[in-house]
Amino acid sequence: MEDGFTRIANELLEGIIGAPLTDRERRVVLAIVRLTYGWNRKAGRIYAEDVSEITNLHESRCSKVISELVRRKVIFRQGGSRSPITLNKDMGQWEASTGSKRQAPTKRAESAQNEPIEPAQNEPTFKYRKDKPPLTSFEGEGTPEKSTPPESTKPKRASVAKLDLENLPDGVTREAAEGFIEHRKALKKPLTQRALMLALGEAVKASQAIPGLSPDQAIDETILAGWQGVKAQWLINRLGGQGAQLPARKDGRMGFAQPRATGTYTQGNDDELPDWARGI
DNA sequence: TAAGTCTAGATCAGGCCCGT
DNA sequence: ACGGGCCTGATCTAGACTTA
């Protein structure tokens, strides 16, 4: 408290806490509060650099977040991009993000191909980042207390049982299978017996679809491509071939290798405070 | 059969580049 | 100083699958 504090209406503070903002957005909003009300002013020329200093976000990202918040009427910026910024105290005007919301994969084995897929999650998720402790100080006084992330309570995964390489699909050699297992280990994605057999089965499918390609070569190509799994269709796309469409996944997923779409207020006369903040 | 693990798409976040 | 585009990596999620 020696370096001052920021007075803010509880209603507004609670609004910020409860608003559907991402972690970055909330940090930027709080930084704006710090740079305005923290200096006992309603608005201020706030640059991305200033916000970056407080939030520890990259300047370019702060700039983007500020623009997004302006667009959603969470904050106001009268005039051009270098005009003063003020927080919109009318939280009813704050617009929720219109961007694509995070959706959990919708995997319904029995009906995924015939029924429209409904998103399983409609609200954005605010992720906990173990490398960025949450803001513990709202008033901008000093450095937030360093907090160590909680020890993970998730039990360690059991080691994968030794895989059976005796009954491999026709055309797949033990060496190729072991090579693939090693590849997966290197990727820190050890596989189960079933996953192995499915992968090798896909290699056989690929060899049947692509003239001149053996199952072993399909596996080698998968490793060279850096894929963690074998998928005949990917190999067809990569190497060419008959290109016949293989049955779609029952769960509707596309596979991981799909191409990317391409100063501080000091206590004094309350008359100096914004109207809404008086008498708290 | 319950609990744990595997899996891959979706989303968020950080950073860089470049034009305005 | 801003803002859009792009790339990369981390994290979340939930059904399928495995294991005790």
Side-chain angles (χ1 to χ4, degrees):
Chain A
M1 299 291 275
E2 293 172 1
D3 296 329
F5 55 88
T6 299
R7 296 191 69 168
I8 182 171
N10 286 335
E11 187 182 351
L12 187 54
L13 177 57
E14 289 166 7
I16 294 171
I17 293 170
L21 302 171
T22 64
D23 175 57
R24 285 197 290 202
E25 289 168 347
R26 205 179 311 279
R27 288 161 70 181
V28 169
V29 167
L30 291 173
I32 290 169
V33 168
R34 172 65 183 86
L35 294 168
T36 52
Y37 300 140
W39 288 93
N40 189 28
R41 59 187 184 184
K42 292 180 181 177
R45 290 184 187 278
I46 298 170
Y47 301 124
E49 182 182 355
D50 304 323
V51 176
S52 170
E53 205 167 294
I54 294 175
T55 60
N56 291 323
L57 295 173
H58 194 269
E59 281 182 37
S60 67
R61 188 57 53 187
C62 289
S63 167
K64 291 175 189 176
V65 173
I66 289 171
S67 297
E68 174 66 13
L69 292 173
V70 168
R71 191 188 64 75
R72 287 163 51 191
K73 299 175 185 171
V74 175
I75 59 178
F76 289 137
R77 186 161 56 191
Q78 297 114 0
S81 60
R82 300 181 191 184
S83 302
I85 289 176
T86 181
L87 186 68
N88 180 9
K89 291 180 290 184
D90 185 351
M91 291 169 286
Q93 294 180 356
W94 293 10
E95 294 175 5
S97 172
T98 55
S100 56
K101 297 195 174 184
R102 180 183 179 134
Q103 293 179 6
T106 53
K107 189 170 164 184
R108 292 186 294 173
E110 299 303 319
S111 57
Q113 293 178 2
N114 299 323
E115 293 180 19
I117 295 173
E118 293 293 334
Q121 183 180 340
N122 296 321
E123 295 299 326
T125 301
F126 308 114
K127 299 191 297 183
Y128 166 69
R129 291 181 62 78
K130 62 185 177 185
D131 57 335
K132 297 280 187 190
L135 285 175
T136 55
S137 169
F138 170 71
E139 299 170 339
E141 301 164 354
T143 309
E145 184 181 344
K146 286 204 171 182
S147 60
T148 53
E151 289 282 333
S152 172
T153 55
K154 197 171 183 178
K156 290 183 178 178
R157 290 177 174 176
S159 58
V160 178
K162 192 167 177 66
L163 300 172
D164 173 22
L165 301 180
E166 296 304 317
N167 301 302
L168 299 175
D170 287 342
V172 179
T173 66
R174 187 186 180 96
E175 288 73 21
E178 287 177 342
F180 184 65
I181 292 168
E182 282 302 310
H183 170 63
R184 288 287 295 253
K185 278 184 184 174
L187 291 174
K188 296 182 179 176
K189 297 275 187 185
L191 31 60
T192 60
Q193 181 71 41
R194 178 170 175 78
L196 174 66
M197 298 311 286
L198 288 172
L200 298 183
E202 286 292 324
V204 172
K205 274 189 196 175
S207 70
Q208 291 167 348
I210 304 173
L213 184 79
S214 69
D216 282 3
Q217 288 172 324
I219 293 169
D220 289 345
E221 196 62 36
T222 294
I223 295 172
L224 284 173
W227 298 335
Q228 60 180 300
V230 184
K231 196 74 180 169
Q233 188 64 55
W234 303 342
L235 288 161
I236 291 167
N237 294 341
R238 179 180 172 89
L239 301 172
Q242 294 172 358
Q245 283 292 326
L246 293 166
R249 290 174 64 108
K250 284 193 289 185
D251 57 17
R253 289 178 176 170
M254 296 167 70
F256 60 81
Q258 62 177 311
R260 287 180 175 277
T262 289
T264 302
Y265 166 77
T266 50
Q267 194 165 14
N269 190 343
D270 274 8
D271 290 338
E272 295 174 3
L273 293 172
D275 293 341
W276 59 268
R278 292 179 191 166
I280 301 174

